Amino acid sequence: MPTLLITGANRGIGLELCKQYVQQGWRVFATCRSPEDAKELNQLVADNKDLLSVHALDVSNEYQMSELQKTLKNVPVDILLNNAGVYGYGATEFGKTQSDAWDEAVEINLLAPMKMMEHFVENVAISDKKIIASISSKMASMEDNTSGGSYAYRATKAALNAVMVSAAHDLKHLDITSLILHPGWVRTDMGGPNGEISVEESATLLRKNLTDCTIADSGCFLDIDGSIIPW
């Protein structure tokens, strides 16, 4: 049975990915900061107890990460998906960026995926599919930046891309594929009501990209349609 370990699973794309992977018969280890408040996720667990479990994980808390690592010791993880992220609303406009917003964006968008990879690389290495993927954004592309703003979000996602490319090289000897995924402009709390696609569409296409990828794609920055995003 293939397995998925995903962060930020309590809402939006993360929650929908849990639903779809469970429907496909995957074993899903879903993590979120406050499981007691994740009503939809807990209901999904109640309906799929053999396939889905929820684990408390604030991705900025490395102690919790270590504890989860102990819980999943020797458990193969086919896909480690770094999905948790923040927009950095206090660091969007030039001249008005706040240090605490920058700190949070760096912690959640950049350092957390790095530490998740370091903690769970052995789980991925003993799996069949051997994929580590991070949800980035086309807003991290320098070439695609035609509007400015969104300083913390753009910068931390661009830095995340650099981390994932380095991991593609460093983990090649383990046959691990390191992927950078743009989820599309999605109608979520972060994406807003004017997004181009629904969470269902985004999750379906993300799954397709994860299914279709090979080790040759390691380090690639993939758009939601599977094409390469310019850096």
Side-chain angles (χ1 to χ4, degrees), residues 89-104:
Y89 285 104
T92 60
E93 298 180 47
F94 185 84
K96 298 180 180 179
T97 65
Q98 301 168 14
S99 295
D100 57 348
W102 273 103
D103 291 344
E104 181 188 37

Side-chain angles (χ1 to χ4, degrees), residues 134-146:
S134 289
I135 300 297
S136 183
S137 171
K138 189 178 286 188
M139 292 180 72
S141 167
M142 309 300 169
E143 186 172 330
D144 191 68
N145 185 353
T146 59

Side-chain angles (χ1 to χ4, degrees), residues 138 182 184-187 191-198 201 224:
K138 189 178 286 188
H182 172 56
W185 183 13
V186 190
R187 293 187 290 275
N194 298 319
E196 296 173 341
I197 60 175
S198 66
E201 292 171 303
I224 190 64

Side-chain angles (χ1 to χ4, degrees), residues 6 11-18 20-21 81 83 134-137 153 181-188 191 195-211 222-226:
I6 182 172
R11 61 180 181 176
I13 298 169
L15 178 61
E16 181 60 29
L17 283 166
C18 289
Q20 293 193 18
Y21 273 107
L81 184 52
N83 170 67
S134 289
I135 300 297
S136 183
S137 171
Y153 188 70
L181 301 174
H182 172 56
W185 183 13
V186 190
R187 293 187 290 275
T188 61
E196 296 173 341
I197 60 175
S198 66
V199 290
E200 293 82 6
E201 292 171 303
S202 176
T204 298
L205 292 170
L206 286 170
R207 282 196 304 109
K208 183 178 187 304
N209 287 336
L210 287 164
T211 299
L222 298 182
D223 206 338
I224 190 64
D225 62 1

Side-chain angles (χ1 to χ4, degrees), residues 28-229:
V28 177
F29 302 103
T31 72
C32 61
R33 186 166 48 188
S34 303
E36 65 277 8
D37 298 326
K39 293 182 180 180
E40 285 189 71
L41 185 57
N42 287 324
Q43 183 58 55
L44 190 62
V45 172
D47 296 336
N48 300 275
K49 291 181 180 179
D50 294 336
L51 294 177
L52 178 64
S53 58
V54 181
H55 306 267
L57 178 62
D58 178 342
V59 293
S60 67
N61 186 326
E62 196 166 354
Y63 173 76
Q64 287 188 344
M65 209 175 282
S66 297
E67 290 300 296
L68 180 58
Q69 181 187 24
K70 294 175 185 176
T71 298
L72 299 182
K73 185 176 177 60
N74 298 323
V75 175
V77 172
D78 286 278
I79 299 177
L80 167 59
L81 184 52
N82 292 305
N83 170 67
V86 296
Y87 191 71
Y89 285 104
T92 60
E93 298 180 47
F94 185 84
K96 298 180 180 179
T97 65
Q98 301 168 14
S99 295
D100 57 348
W102 273 103
D103 291 344
E104 181 188 37
V106 169
E107 186 74 40
I108 304 300
N109 294 348
L110 175 59
L111 298 182
M114 181 75 218
K115 299 310 294 184
M116 286 292 292
M117 286 197 292
E118 291 179 332
H119 278 277
F120 295 99
V121 64
E122 293 181 6
N123 300 78
V124 176
I126 61 174
S127 73
D128 291 329
K129 297 185 182 298
K130 297 181 173 62
I131 297 171
I132 298 177
S134 289
I135 300 297
S136 183
S137 171
K138 189 178 286 188
M139 292 180 72
S141 167
M142 309 300 169
E143 186 172 330
D144 191 68
N145 185 353
T146 59
S147 60
S150 302
Y151 284 89
Y153 188 70
R154 289 186 189 277
T156 53
K157 289 297 187 179
L160 171 62
N161 291 1
V163 162
M164 296 302 292
V165 171
S166 285
H169 293 293
D170 291 337
L171 303 181
K172 188 176 181 179
H173 70 288
L174 296 174
D175 293 324
I176 290 176
T177 300
S178 171
L179 281 182
I180 309 161
L181 301 174
H182 172 56
W185 183 13
V186 190
R187 293 187 290 275
T188 61
D189 290 344
M190 184 184 295
N194 298 319
E196 296 173 341
I197 60 175
S198 66
V199 290
E200 293 82 6
E201 292 171 303
S202 176
T204 298
L205 292 170
L206 286 170
R207 282 196 304 109
K208 183 178 187 304
N209 287 336
L210 287 164
T211 299
D212 293 347
C213 74
T214 69
I215 191 68
D217 299 306
S218 196
C220 287
F221 187 11
L222 298 182
D223 206 338
I224 190 64
D225 62 1
S227 62
I228 301 295
I229 296 174

